[in-house]
Amino acid sequence: MTATDPAISTTPTPTDDAPDRLTLTVTIAGLFDVLTNTIRAVGTDVTLPSLSRVRLHVADGRLHATSTDRYRIHRDWTPLLDNTLARLPAPLMVPADDVAALRTMLRRFRIAALRDEPVALTVDPPNPGTDLRLIQITTSTRICFDPLTIHSLDDPTSPFPDIAALDARTPRWEPTGTVRLNPGFLADAAKLTHHGRPVSRHAGLTLRFRADRPDRALGAVRITHPGRPSFTADVMPIHHHAR
């Protein structure tokens, strides 16, 4: 993983095309937002390495990011800029350390004049004999840097949870009675960003709850922000009092 500022400013360009190489283009602020809003829920349990990564996938002309530590799920998306029907052959599982390095780099460019500039993610095919993919990050702004290379590694022995299946099993959201939450989860949601900038501390959050299940089991609490409609954070309540 490398990221340095060259003495001479030149615009980095991807290397020659390779089979199955894919380039995704989003804005600097959009990529910073989805990484910032999902890395907070990355797991730290060393026995569950697949949960220590941010999952990236492409659908409906958007780059989606998801993370979970089993007790909360953070999700966000940002639109693709190239208007192509790009499809990743498999989701990218980016380790938390690489996500942190990428966020550090993007933070340098998310000032007002640059936050809407494009940034390209060039995804190489897996290395022979492994599931490791290299992802090269470049930008065409007037501030230049050596390409940042991060990694994606899938571990078939510890799969990432099927979030869509979880949603399908409990599709309804509605108000409920009293819910007690881990305050740290609320603090995570309160730190979400919008257009590469922290949202106002007076903007407020919206909390909705899954409909009561027949077995009276606790459902998740969905936290959203009206100024950031793409962001959702699902967290497990500590205790729930039905009305």
Side-chain angles (χ1 to χ4, degrees):
M1 195 163 39
T2 61
T4 59
D5 289 309
I8 300 176
S9 178
T10 59
T11 300
T13 56
T15 56
D16 294 339
D17 290 339
D20 301 323
R21 175 173 288 162
L22 178 65
T23 298
L24 309 172
T25 306
V26 295
T27 64
I28 288 174
L31 184 57
F32 182 85
D33 276 2
V34 298
L35 297 178
T36 298
N37 293 339
T38 53
I39 195 173
R40 302 184 191 283
V42 167
T44 57
D45 187 342
V46 296
T47 66
L48 298 170
S50 67
L51 302 188
S52 65
R53 301 164 187 163
V54 171
R55 181 185 189 272
L56 300 177
H57 75 277
V58 172
D60 303 320
R62 301 167 175 172
L63 177 65
H64 297 259
T66 307
S67 66
T68 181
D69 61 0
R70 297 182 299 165
Y71 301 103
R72 52 187 171 171
I73 303 170
H74 284 200
R75 289 178 276 190
D76 203 356
W77 57 260
T78 189
L80 298 175
L81 299 182
D82 48 14
N83 296 319
T84 64
L85 298 177
R87 288 291 183 271
L88 290 170
L92 301 174
M93 303 298 294
V94 184
D97 288 347
D98 279 2
V99 173
L102 179 52
R103 286 184 65 251
T104 297
M105 183 195 77
L106 293 170
R107 186 183 291 114
R108 296 158 44 202
F109 300 106
R110 66 183 179 92
I111 59 177
L114 298 177
R115 65 173 183 265
D116 294 325
E117 292 286 329
V119 60
L121 290 74
T122 303
V123 184
D124 282 345
N127 288 346
T130 74
D131 290 320
L132 180 67
R133 287 178 177 265
L134 298 181
I135 309 170
Q136 187 180 82
I137 314 297
T138 57
T139 183
S140 59
T141 63
R142 61 182 179 272
I143 299 177
C144 206
F145 55 91
D146 286 344
L148 174 69
T149 300
I150 61 178
H151 301 89
S152 169
L153 179 61
D154 289 328
D155 182 356
T157 64
S158 55
F160 196 81
D162 187 341
I163 305 301
L166 293 176
D167 280 346
R169 285 199 296 269
T170 50
R172 295 187 297 121
W173 295 87
E174 61 184 31
T176 187
T178 302
V179 174
R180 298 176 184 173
L181 294 174
N182 183 326
F185 296 164
L186 288 177
D188 284 345
K191 294 175 183 177
L192 62 92
T193 64
H194 185 48
H195 291 308
R197 297 165 293 173
V199 299
S200 168
R201 61 190 176 92
H202 303 294
L205 299 170
T206 300
L207 278 68
R208 294 189 70 81
F209 312 93
R210 291 201 191 280
D212 288 337
R213 291 171 44 175
D215 59 6
R216 308 298 295 171
L218 295 179
V221 179
R222 174 155 290 178
I223 302 171
T224 60
H225 188 283
R228 181 71 181 168
S230 61
F231 172 80
T232 61
D234 298 351
V235 301
M236 183 183 297
I238 298 173
H239 193 65
H240 171 211
H241 295 288
R243 280 190 294 196

